[in-house]
Structure formats: C-alpha cells, structure tokens
Amino acid sequence: MMQQNVFQTLADPTRFRIVAALAEGEQAVGDLVRAVDIDQSGVSRHLRILGEAGFVTMRPDGARRLYSLRPEPFRAVDDWVQGYRRLWEGRLDRFDAALARRQSERKK
C-alpha cells in the first residue's frame, strides 16, 4: 500500500517544481533556486524533505552538492497507480462496448 506521506511530499507545489526540474537531470542547488524561483534556504529545506522521503539523492562535487531523482519511489507510485489504471480501463472498456451497442441499435 502506497504511503500517504509520499503523496503529501509531492503535493507541495514547490517540491513538485523541484522534482520537475530534477527530471531534466542532476542539478546543483543554485540551478534549482533559479528553476523554482525561491531562495536557497527554501530550496534546501524542500530538498531535505524530498531526501527524507527518498525522492532525491545528493552527491558532493567539490564545494557543490548535486541533486538527482531516485527512481524507486516513482516506481512505487507507478505500481500503486497501475492498480487503479486497470480498474478504470476495465470500466471504460465496458462503457465503450455498451456505447457501441447502443449506437448500433440506433442505426437499425
């Protein structure tokens, strides 16, 4: 079962923008500050929260810290969504079949 914490972490608009920026590849804090247009302390706080939730990893590069996304939490989210996707695809397939039958009956 997907933990509610994962969705709470991604629900924050700033963290979501940071994740979107990191989807383009590894970035330094300064790059993220420019991408999300908040101050460095704010970006650092959100990166700490994302790191604690397992979404990002940091690697030192001299004096810089480079952040990147970890794939595991996104796979877990995808696995969780997949169960609901199957549910809705089945319902939509049945709806499509019922609609096709109705349209066929109207043509007669």
Side-chain angles (χ1 to χ4, degrees):
M1 180 76 176
M2 176 75 0
Q3 292 181 5
Q4 187 176 3
N5 180 350
V6 168
F7 292 108
Q8 288 172 338
T9 300
L10 293 176
D12 180 90
T14 301
R15 286 193 288 273
F16 192 82
R17 288 194 326 257
I18 289 171
V19 167
L22 288 173
E24 297 177 18
E26 186 177 61
Q27 295 191 39
V29 173
D31 299 328
L32 293 170
V33 167
R34 286 185 290 282
V36 300
D37 196 29
I38 63 170
D39 60 45
Q40 182 183 352
S41 64
V43 169
S44 294
R45 180 173 49 86
H46 287 292
L47 285 169
R48 181 183 48 78
I49 293 167
L50 286 165
E52 289 171 357
F55 282 95
V56 298
T57 187
M58 183 277 295
R59 81 173 175 87
D61 180 40
R64 300 184 324 155
R65 295 180 187 168
L66 299 175
Y67 291 86
S68 60
L69 295 176
R70 296 182 65 239
E72 298 86 2
F74 295 98
R75 286 187 197 123
V77 169
D78 188 52
D79 291 346
W80 184 84
V81 169
Q82 187 67 15
Y84 290 94
R85 185 178 298 131
R86 283 190 296 270
L87 169 75
W88 281 105
E89 285 174 350
R91 289 180 181 183
L92 290 173
D93 288 345
R94 290 190 301 277
F95 177 73
D96 185 49
L99 185 60
R101 282 192 306 275
R102 188 169 189 163
Q103 288 174 340
S104 175
E105 290 171 359
R106 283 187 177 175
K107 289 181 181 178
K108 291 182 183 180

